[in-house]
């Protein structure tokens, strides 16, 4: 027998003896992640198969086809990026921006700012137009900005999760075609839950995530690219400046060649396949209607309790509701209470809305009337304890 090599002593300073994981089941009614569908969780727990296994290759095509259905697009280049929604956001910019390109970002919340930040990192000439957090852009405002700045890409968020606003899409695609500009749309909080018609809307680039409307855990970022965006990518002078997210390379794996690029997170794609299968079984129209009716229940219930909704009714997002925190209430203390006493997560405000709103998500599997009732009951019975004993107006007087 060959004697075992003598190894230097191991440093055990970071060694820990932990109990097996035992996270409680929370009800995730915040801005994401949302709860995963039990069927999706079962799919995630399956033994992995090889990422070049013929069975897996078949599953990849199923995922692509069902993503096209969910987005209402025929785009050939429709794939889930390995990574969260931000990875897919980055892919949409990294593949299409060439240094010096003007990218116009219509910012009306936190995720618009992230788009502008990312575009700058790919050395775009970033121009932003802004609206207050809680409003949407009018077509005239976008038209004016596109005509003035002549961008190569107009980037805008469809469902702004930071404000609860849904951007009306009428006419934006035509406007971009007239000015020979690509339309890039963030559909992270709308895919599977809010009406989306990418091809009809003439959207050239879009992306989403797994953990909001699709009832999957976080980990994949669906991405799609239309022919005009593909042409811009293929005409670029240099390589895509991001190896991991390079669609020209990824397409050799997702297309017919099946060339290894990186090891696909196969179990996440099992989950995505099941999530999309369930969505197709329910049907888009039914899923959209379910999100709409449950959010209307929530809106009516909150208003009946005297709470104010931040987004105007016509622009309200069915997946995410911003509720103004009443004067004198410590919003964070109440959401902390919901989490620790009831296992329910509700979000707080971001950026301009920090400390001013709660953000309530009803996304995917969680968009159910029982969840709305549960939450409304807690707002009714337990919020009063967080209200000031004497009205602040009375104190001031
Ligand atoms: C959540 C979200 C993202 C980012 O997705 P991650 O999965 O957190 O990386 C981007 N845009 C919008 C509108 C979002 O709500």
């Amino acid at each position: 027998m060959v004697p075992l090599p003598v190894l230097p002593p191991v440093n055990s300073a970071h060694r820990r003896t932990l109990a097996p994981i035992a996270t409680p089941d929370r009800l995730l009614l915040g801005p994401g992640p949302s709860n995963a569908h039990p069927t999706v969780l079962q799919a995630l727990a399956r033994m992995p198969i090889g990422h070049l296994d013929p069975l897996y290759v078949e599953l990849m095509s199923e995922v692509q086809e069902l993503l096209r259905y969910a987005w209402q697009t025929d785009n050939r280049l429709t794939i889930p990026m390995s990574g969260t929604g931000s990875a897919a956001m980055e892919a949409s910019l990294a593949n299409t921006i060439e240094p010096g390109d003007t990218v116009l970002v219509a910012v009306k919340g936190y995720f618009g700012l992230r788009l502008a930040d990312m575009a700058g990192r790919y050395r775009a000439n970033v121009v932003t137009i802004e609206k207050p957090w809680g409003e949407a852009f009018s077509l005239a405002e976008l038209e004016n900005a596109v005509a003035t700045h002549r961008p190569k890409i107009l980037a805008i968020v469809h469902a702004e999760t930071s404000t609860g606003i849904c951007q009306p899409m009428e006419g934006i695609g035509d406007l971009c075609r007239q000015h020979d500009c690509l339309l890039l749309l963030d559909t992270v909080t709308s895919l599977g839950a809010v009406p989306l018609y990418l091809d009809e809307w003439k959207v050239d680039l879009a992306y989403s995530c797994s953990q909001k409307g699709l009832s999957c855990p976080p980990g994949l970022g669906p991405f799609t690219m239309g022919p005009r965006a593909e042409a811009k990518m293929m005409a670029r002078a240099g390589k895509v400046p991001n190896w991991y997210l390079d669609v020209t390379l990824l397409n050799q794996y997702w297309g017919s060649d099946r060339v290894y690029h990186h090891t696909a997170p196969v179990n996440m794609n099992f989950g995505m396949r099941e999530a999309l299968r369930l969505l197709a079984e329910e049907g888009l129209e039914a899923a959209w209607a379910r999100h709409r009716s449950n959010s209307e229940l929530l809106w009516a219930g909150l208003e009946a309790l005297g709470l104010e909704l931040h987004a105007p009714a016509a622009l309200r997002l069915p997946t995410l509701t911003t509720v103004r925190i009443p004067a004198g209430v410590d919003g964070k203390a109440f959401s902390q209470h919901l989490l620790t006493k009831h296992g329910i997560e509700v979000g707080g405000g971001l950026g301009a809305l920090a400390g001013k709103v709660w953000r309530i998500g009803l996304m995917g599997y969680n968009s159910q009337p029982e969840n709305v009732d549960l939450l409304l009951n807690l707002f009714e019975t337990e919020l009063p304890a967080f209200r000031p004993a004497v009205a602040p107006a009375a104190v001031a007087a």
Side-chain angles (χ1 to χ4, degrees):
M1 253 185 38
V2 186
L4 290 174
V6 178
L7 301 172
V10 162
N11 176 353
S12 294
H14 298 295
R15 191 175 190 184
R16 295 288 182 275
T17 307
L18 301 178
I21 190 164
T23 46
D25 284 357
R26 307 269 205 214
L27 178 57
L28 302 176
L29 300 182
S34 185
N35 289 72
H37 194 292
T39 304
V40 170
L41 292 178
Q42 281 171 11
L44 291 168
R46 299 189 73 81
M47 190 61 76
I49 61 176
H51 68 119
L52 297 169
D53 185 312
L55 290 175
Y56 188 71
V57 165
E58 197 180 313
L59 179 142
M60 289 164 69
S61 305
E62 292 166 349
V63 166
Q64 290 186 285
E65 198 56 4
L66 288 176
L67 278 177
R68 292 185 188 108
Y69 167 66
W71 257 321
Q72 294 290 286
T73 181
D74 295 328
N75 289 344
R76 186 176 74 89
L77 293 175
T78 301
I79 61 177
M81 290 289 166
S82 305
T84 66
S86 303
M89 179 192 279
E90 186 139 1
S92 70
L93 298 167
N95 283 279
T96 50
I97 293 174
E98 286 196 274
D101 281 355
T102 296
V103 174
L104 175 65
V105 187
V107 179
K108 57 185 191 311
Y110 179 87
F111 291 101
L113 291 173
R114 182 175 296 185
L115 273 165
D117 179 3
M118 272 189 197
R121 290 165 194 249
Y122 289 96
R123 299 200 280 135
N125 166 38
V126 180
V127 178
T128 58
I129 48 172
E130 302 207 21
K131 291 290 278 188
W133 291 34
E135 295 181 23
F137 285 91
S138 70
L139 183 58
E141 287 164 337
L142 295 171
E143 199 153 24
N144 189 28
V146 168
T148 306
H149 301 291
R150 315 294 309 214
K152 292 273 173 64
I153 301 172
L154 166 64
I156 191 162
V157 177
H158 181 228
E160 198 22 282
T161 324
S162 63
T163 64
I165 292 287
C166 189
Q167 172 65 44
M169 293 303 297
E170 291 74 26
I172 303 178
D174 285 324
L175 161 70
C176 290
R177 298 273 160 119
Q178 280 155 24
H179 292 270
D180 198 21
C181 149
L182 297 179
L183 174 56
L184 185 161
L185 191 65
D186 177 317
T187 64
V188 173
T189 303
S190 44
L191 186 64
V194 180
L196 272 174
Y197 297 90
L198 285 203
D199 286 359
E200 201 179 308
W201 292 351
K202 302 186 174 79
V203 173
D204 300 295
L205 287 154
Y207 55 86
S208 191
C209 76
S210 48
Q211 76 273 13
K212 293 176 187 173
L214 295 181
S215 316
C216 258
L220 289 178
F223 165 90
T224 189
M225 177 182 238
R228 295 171 79 236
E230 190 179 342
K232 181 162 181 6
M233 173 178 74
M234 296 316 289
R236 54 183 310 136
K239 286 183 182 179
V240 173
N242 184 317
W243 182 87
Y244 198 72
L245 301 173
D246 183 339
V247 171
T248 65
L249 299 178
L250 287 168
N251 190 43
Q252 293 175 32
Y253 174 56
W254 283 90
S256 49
D257 299 345
R258 307 294 176 184
V259 177
Y260 165 69
H261 178 257
H262 68 269
T263 307
V266 292
N267 287 54
M268 276 311 301
N269 279 289
F270 291 174
M272 178 59 75
R273 190 251 190 213
E274 286 303 279
L276 292 169
R277 179 180 68 78
L278 291 167
L279 178 63
E281 191 176 273
E282 181 179 14
L284 280 181
E285 303 91 325
W288 295 341
R290 173 169 56 82
H291 282 84
R292 184 82 214 174
S293 65
N294 289 323
S295 54
E296 277 174 2
L297 270 182
L298 176 71
W299 301 339
L302 290 168
E303 288 182 327
L305 294 175
L307 291 161
E308 268 181 67
L309 303 184
H310 182 65
L315 300 175
R316 252 175 234 160
L317 194 55
T319 37
L320 193 285
T321 299
T322 37
V323 189
R324 293 202 180 126
I325 297 169
V329 171
D330 179 346
K332 196 158 186 175
F334 184 59
S335 41
Q336 208 69 45
H337 169 81
L338 290 178
L339 186 68
T340 54
K341 292 288 183 307
H342 300 284
I344 299 177
E345 183 174 277
V346 156
L350 280 180
L353 295 179
K356 296 185 177 148
V357 297
W358 288 296
R359 290 187 299 151
I360 302 176
L362 290 173
M363 305 177 182
Y365 180 64
N366 280 354
S367 175
Q368 297 177 27
E370 299 74 39
N371 291 338
V372 176
D373 287 345
L374 181 63
L375 192 66
L376 286 175
N377 273 328
L378 291 172
F379 267 87
E380 182 171 11
T381 55
E382 309 206 357
L383 182 58
F386 290 80
R387 289 184 184 271
V390 183
V395 174

